[in-house]
Amino acid sequence: NMDLGAALIRKLTAYALDECTDDLELFARGVDKTLMATLENIAQSDYIRLPYREAVEILERSGKKFEYEIGFGKDLQTEHERFLTEDHFKKPVSVYDYPKTIKPFYMRVNEDEETVAAMDVLVPRIGEIIGGSQREERLEVLEARIDEMKMDKAPLWWYLDARRYGSVPHAGFGLGFERLINYVTGM
């Protein structure tokens, strides 16, 4: 999932650089002088892979004063994501294995029982551009998560049946289209 997410962002960025050069140069002149260099960095970089726990430790050790509190079990905010991509690594970052307490019931619980197989692809200037996860395919774990979150199972009968009558390990992600346009244009 992380490989696919990073490959998609690289491909879309490279395509924009190759096929829309005149438009991007216009945005670079009028909106963001660093746009072309930023896009080239994103299209050509190897993306850093970083467990959520390590991302939090980097942020805590940074000495930077953030508006939003950082700590294990707190969701990363745009300011945290931008620090990681712009200041610390200076390239895109894929953060993975988020605490299950801040993620939806359908994300696959990891062996540590504390985190889920979730990932976000972060890019400079925007932060999260893709969010995704492996979905929980184990019926008993899925039902336990629903109970743990004090959710009503009745409206989820169809989702549970999809697991009850056979499922396979699978994952997916969403690309924020408006964020993609924002990031590519520098606006």
Side-chain angles (χ1 to χ4, degrees):
N1 213 23
M2 283 189 284
D3 288 344
L4 189 57
L8 178 62
I9 295 302
R10 262 193 231 98
K11 178 72 173 170
L12 292 172
T13 305
Y15 182 86
L17 285 165
D18 292 342
E19 301 297 326
C20 307
T21 307
D22 293 342
D23 296 322
L24 294 178
E25 287 174 349
L26 174 66
F27 286 121
R29 283 193 306 276
V31 178
D32 180 353
K33 305 280 187 241
T34 66
L35 179 63
M36 300 304 279
T38 299
L39 295 178
E40 288 168 7
N41 178 32
I42 291 169
Q44 297 169 5
S45 287
D46 290 328
Y47 289 32
I48 299 293
R49 285 193 177 179
L50 187 67
Y52 166 89
R53 190 178 302 277
E54 286 183 37
V56 167
E57 290 169 2
I58 289 168
L59 293 163
E60 288 175 334
R61 288 191 316 259
S62 72
K64 182 167 173 57
K65 176 74 171 123
F66 294 107
E67 180 180 346
Y68 292 94
E69 186 179 343
I70 190 67
F72 188 86
K74 299 193 181 311
D75 210 357
L76 297 180
Q77 301 298 314
T78 301
E79 66 176 335
H80 307 133
E81 297 165 346
R82 290 188 63 183
F83 175 83
L84 292 169
T85 59
E86 295 171 20
D87 299 330
H88 190 77
F89 292 109
K90 300 186 184 334
K91 61 169 51 178
V93 177
S94 294
V95 177
Y96 63 94
D97 288 349
Y98 282 81
K100 71 178 184 178
T101 56
I102 61 173
K103 293 297 183 182
F105 74 94
Y106 55 79
M107 294 184 174
R108 191 176 205 284
V109 177
N110 291 326
E111 289 182 19
D112 65 10
E113 299 286 326
E114 186 178 33
T115 61
V116 292
M119 66 92 182
D120 291 332
V121 177
L122 316 177
V123 295
R125 294 189 355 256
I126 300 292
E128 179 189 334
I129 196 163
I130 286 179
S133 71
Q134 183 174 343
R135 307 308 196 251
E136 185 59 72
E137 81 280 1
R138 301 165 295 181
L139 178 62
E140 63 284 351
V141 177
L142 187 61
E143 288 179 323
R145 281 287 287 146
I146 291 170
D147 290 341
E148 185 180 301
M149 297 179 82
K150 298 181 182 4
M151 296 172 63
D152 182 7
K153 288 182 190 169
L156 298 170
W157 67 267
W158 60 273
Y159 196 82
L160 294 169
D161 276 359
R163 301 313 185 264
R164 182 173 291 112
Y165 298 113
S167 186
V168 296
H170 61 287
F173 62 77
L175 168 67
F177 185 71
E178 295 85 3
R179 290 181 183 198
L180 175 67
I181 298 302
N182 181 302
Y183 129 81
V184 169
T185 62
M187 297 179 73

